[in-house]
Amino acid sequence: AQKVTQAQTEISVVEKEDVTLDCVYETRDTTYYLFWYKQPPSGELVFLIRRNSFDEQNEISGRYSWNFQKSTSSFNFTITASQVVDSAVYFCALSEARAGGSYIPTFGRGTSLIVHP
Amino acid sequence: NAGVTQTPKFQVLKTGQSMTLQCAQDMNHEYMSWYRQDPGMGLRLIHYSVGAGITDQGEVPNGYNVSRSTTEDFPLRLLSAAPSQTSVYFCASSSTGSEQYFGPGTRLTVT
């Protein structure tokens, strides 16, 4: 079973629409970290946000917001008033203690967001 | 700070050839890792290291070797390249709980 599930393979919206990217994770640990990354067409991986398991506060950064719910093991990402520049592949990742205690993240398969003008 | 650097950016190999992908970081991070990215598969962990002299396998380690003799460097060796290893390879570094700092990637084609 995947530890990080991004069920939406591709989402297509028209500019100015709001869009939510879903992320469901699986862990038995009480201490873990969740991340979102953006990969624009140029290919680099851009860090967006980190959340630790003890901080369920939602976060807003400009047009971006994140909803972390431990009760449903979800860490969803919403873009408000989407723009063409938001077109990218978005990855959710989970970092939990591996054997030996290291924290190296496992990534979901990504959601490709296409924003049409 | 250069961050995480990877060389080469592009490489074409013939089946059976060997090569080393280089990765270096200048942030004194204890963790370094290699991922491969294939269409529809996300980023899959190949090998990782928690410090100089310590490495471990990720989810897809077969056909790859790593070593970490210094904190800064973490090369990935392909022993005998196969077409199935055609992919984009990303090196990353981090510390406990921090985000991954990724290199720019190496696009490898094996013919």
Side-chain angles (χ1 to χ4, degrees):
Chain A
Q2 290 182 50
K3 283 188 171 286
V4 179
T5 301
Q6 295 181 256
Q8 304 148 310
T9 304
E10 183 176 298
I11 301 175
S12 184
V13 299
V14 177
E15 219 172 11
K16 297 185 184 175
E17 280 187 43
D18 298 348
V19 58
T20 295
L21 310 182
D22 297 331
C23 174
V24 174
Y25 62 93
E26 179 186 329
T27 181
R28 294 183 179 178
D29 289 1
T30 54
T31 300
Y32 55 90
Y33 302 87
L34 295 163
F35 305 87
W36 277 94
Y37 290 84
K38 174 182 180 180
Q39 187 176 43
S42 52
E44 74 271 25
L45 286 151
V46 179
F47 165 74
L48 295 177
I49 190 172
R50 175 188 66 209
R51 263 288 175 265
N52 73 56
S53 52
F54 300 107
D55 182 2
E56 276 194 84
Q57 263 195 331
N58 292 330
E59 181 153 338
I60 298 174
S61 176
R63 296 184 297 107
Y64 294 173
S65 62
W66 291 270
N67 182 282
F68 176 25
Q69 291 198 333
K70 289 173 76 169
S71 60
T72 56
S73 297
S74 65
F75 186 43
N76 297 336
F77 172 30
T78 297
I79 301 174
T80 303
S82 59
Q83 299 177 1
V84 172
V85 293
D86 296 327
S87 296
V89 180
Y90 291 86
F91 292 100
C92 180
L94 165 69
S95 186
E96 56 183 346
R98 292 177 181 259
S102 62
Y103 284 80
I104 303 287
T106 299
F107 285 77
R109 295 191 176 190
T111 297
S112 177
L113 175 64
I114 302 167
V115 182
H116 298 280
Chain B
N1 273 1
V4 179
T5 57
Q6 288 183 240
T7 55
K9 288 189 175 178
F10 302 95
Q11 183 71 49
V12 179
L13 291 178
K14 292 189 185 321
T15 297
Q17 287 185 318
S18 63
M19 80 158 295
T20 299
L21 306 185
Q22 301 292 345
C23 175
Q25 54 100 2
D26 61 1
M27 296 171 281
N28 203 33
H29 285 157
E30 65 264 37
Y31 299 157
M32 294 187 75
S33 48
W34 278 101
Y35 293 86
R36 60 177 288 174
Q37 183 178 16
D38 303 293
M41 298 300 292
L43 292 155
R44 292 183 293 170
L45 184 65
I46 304 171
H47 285 287
Y48 64 96
S49 168
V50 300
I54 307 170
T55 64
D56 206 345
Q57 296 182 351
E59 283 80 45
V60 288
N62 292 342
Y64 307 94
N65 269 1
V66 291
S67 60
R68 190 154 175 217
S69 54
T70 67
T71 300
E72 294 78 21
D73 300 298
F74 191 44
L76 178 72
R77 280 181 286 278
L78 280 70
L79 308 172
S80 177
S84 61
Q85 293 179 304
T86 293
S87 188
V88 180
Y89 291 85
F90 287 97
C91 178
S93 73
S94 63
S95 52
T96 298
S98 83
E99 67 269 29
Q100 295 282 75
Y101 291 77
F102 284 95
T106 295
R107 187 173 293 274
L108 175 68
T109 302
V110 183
T111 61

